[in-house]
């Protein structure tokens, strides 16, 4: 379902990719075999609403970000290549608004956190220390408001529109999230806690500064 949804978003809705390149209706590439895939599903009807992947380290394949920010994974030793995962193919379908109906405006800002939760679980499972991504500025602003901070790497790049290469030390990202938004941290670590991969040092919980209503559509 992940590849079919990506085809719908990237080939049909946004026209970032050529539909003719994927005659089977599944958008995929060489990184998918070395990735953990996350799928957001509407429990009421089983419809796929969003997907994302965490590209795992690979000794020869590298990371997709290298095509738009060459040398980022090695530059200055900031991102250790074999301990860094890349968040990519992060997308939500336009069909969400139809599925959610009049509740769409209330739920839409928080749906990305469902995907983030899955990605965070995978990062803990594979014991990665750093993450990188090429994100839309609007998504970065939303994540910042939710206490999820990435460091920009260089200037915006033109990659299907303006995108920001960015990175973070994973422990620093999670600690800051806990400090600023304990409620978001609690939600985003639910999967890792259930899977038994959340480090004991991270299981502490502080009072939330604000309440955020998280609900599955």
């Amino acid at each position: 379902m992940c590849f079919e949804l990506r085809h719908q978003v990237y080939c049909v809705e946004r026209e970032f990719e050529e539909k003719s390149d994927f005659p089977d209706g599944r958008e995929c590439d060489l990184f998918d075999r070395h990735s953990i895939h996350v799928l957001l599903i509407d429990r009421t009807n089983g419809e796929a609403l969003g997907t994302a992947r965490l590209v795992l380290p690979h000794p020869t394949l590298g990371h997709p970000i290298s095509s738009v920010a060459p040398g980022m994974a090695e530059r200055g030793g900031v991102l250790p290549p074999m301990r860094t995962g890349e968040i990519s193919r992060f997308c939500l379908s336009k069909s969400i608004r139809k599925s959610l109906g009049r509740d769409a405006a209330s739920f839409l800002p928080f749906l990305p956190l469902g995907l983030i939760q899955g990605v965070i679980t995978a990062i803990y499972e594979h014991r990665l220390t750093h993450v990188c991504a090429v994100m839309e500025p609007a998504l970065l602003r939303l994540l910042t408001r939710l206490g999820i901070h990435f460091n920009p790497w260089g200037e915006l790049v033109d990659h299907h529109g303006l995108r920001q290469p960015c990175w973070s030390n994973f422990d620093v990202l999670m600690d800051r999230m806990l400090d600023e938004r304990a409620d978001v941290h609690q939600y985003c670590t639910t999967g890792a806690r259930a899977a038994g991969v959340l480090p004991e040092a991270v299981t502490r919980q502080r009072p939330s500064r604000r309440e955020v209503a998280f609900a599955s559509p």
Side-chain angles (χ1 to χ4, degrees), residues 77-146:
V78 174
L79 298 181
M82 296 308 297
R83 300 298 300 276
T84 298
E86 179 173 345
I87 304 169
S88 71
R89 291 300 193 271
F90 193 105
C91 63
L92 297 167
S93 173
K94 289 182 179 179
S95 65
I96 287 177
R97 292 187 180 275
K98 181 178 179 180
S99 177
L100 297 180
R102 63 183 181 181
D103 296 323
S106 300
F107 285 124
L108 278 175
F110 304 110
L111 289 178
L113 286 181
L115 296 174
I116 289 291
Q117 181 190 131
V119 169
I120 284 175
T121 301
I123 292 172
Y124 277 124
E125 285 180 335
H126 291 271
R127 300 181 180 181
L128 303 179
T129 60
H130 292 73
V131 290
C132 61
V134 181
M135 294 191 189
E136 296 181 48
L139 177 57
L140 277 174
R141 290 193 294 269
L142 171 62
L143 295 179
T144 297
R145 290 196 297 271
L146 293 171

Side-chain angles (χ1 to χ4, degrees), residues 11-209:
C11 299
V12 179
E13 296 177 3
R14 300 186 181 182
E15 298 183 341
F16 287 166
E17 306 288 347
E18 290 290 339
K19 287 191 291 184
S20 58
D21 292 339
F22 307 97
D24 61 352
R26 292 161 51 89
E27 191 277 321
C28 55
D29 62 24
L30 72 169
F31 294 101
D32 286 314
R33 292 186 178 182
H34 307 286
S35 300
I36 303 299
H37 300 274
V38 179
L39 187 65
L40 185 65
I41 296 178
D42 186 336
R43 292 180 180 176
T44 64
N45 57 22
E47 181 181 358
L49 301 178
T51 187
R53 71 179 178 186
L54 177 70
V55 180
L56 300 175
H58 189 275
T60 59
L61 198 57
H63 294 82
I65 198 170
S66 297
S67 65
V68 295
M72 178 176 174
E74 298 80 18
R75 185 176 170 186
V78 174
L79 298 181
M82 296 308 297
R83 300 298 300 276
T84 298
E86 179 173 345
I87 304 169
S88 71
R89 291 300 193 271
F90 193 105
C91 63
L92 297 167
S93 173
K94 289 182 179 179
S95 65
I96 287 177
R97 292 187 180 275
K98 181 178 179 180
S99 177
L100 297 180
R102 63 183 181 181
D103 296 323
S106 300
F107 285 124
L108 278 175
F110 304 110
L111 289 178
L113 286 181
L115 296 174
I116 289 291
Q117 181 190 131
V119 169
I120 284 175
T121 301
I123 292 172
Y124 277 124
E125 285 180 335
H126 291 271
R127 300 181 180 181
L128 303 179
T129 60
H130 292 73
V131 290
C132 61
V134 181
M135 294 191 189
E136 296 181 48
L139 177 57
L140 277 174
R141 290 193 294 269
L142 171 62
L143 295 179
T144 297
R145 290 196 297 271
L146 293 171
I148 304 173
H149 297 270
F150 285 84
N151 307 303
W153 190 288
E155 302 296 327
L156 293 170
V157 296
D158 187 0
H159 182 64
H160 302 305
L162 291 178
R163 301 288 187 271
Q164 177 63 65
C166 54
W167 69 280
S168 183
N169 177 296
F170 184 60
D171 285 342
V172 172
L173 181 148
M174 296 303 295
D175 284 345
R176 189 170 178 182
M177 187 195 310
L178 182 58
D179 286 337
E180 295 184 9
R181 293 298 300 269
D183 50 350
V184 175
H185 184 277
Q186 175 71 16
Y187 177 78
C188 286
T189 55
T190 299
R193 191 175 293 105
V197 296
L198 191 67
E200 184 177 352
V202 186
T203 60
R204 70 190 190 282
Q205 185 64 50
R206 303 171 190 168
S208 175
R209 297 182 181 179

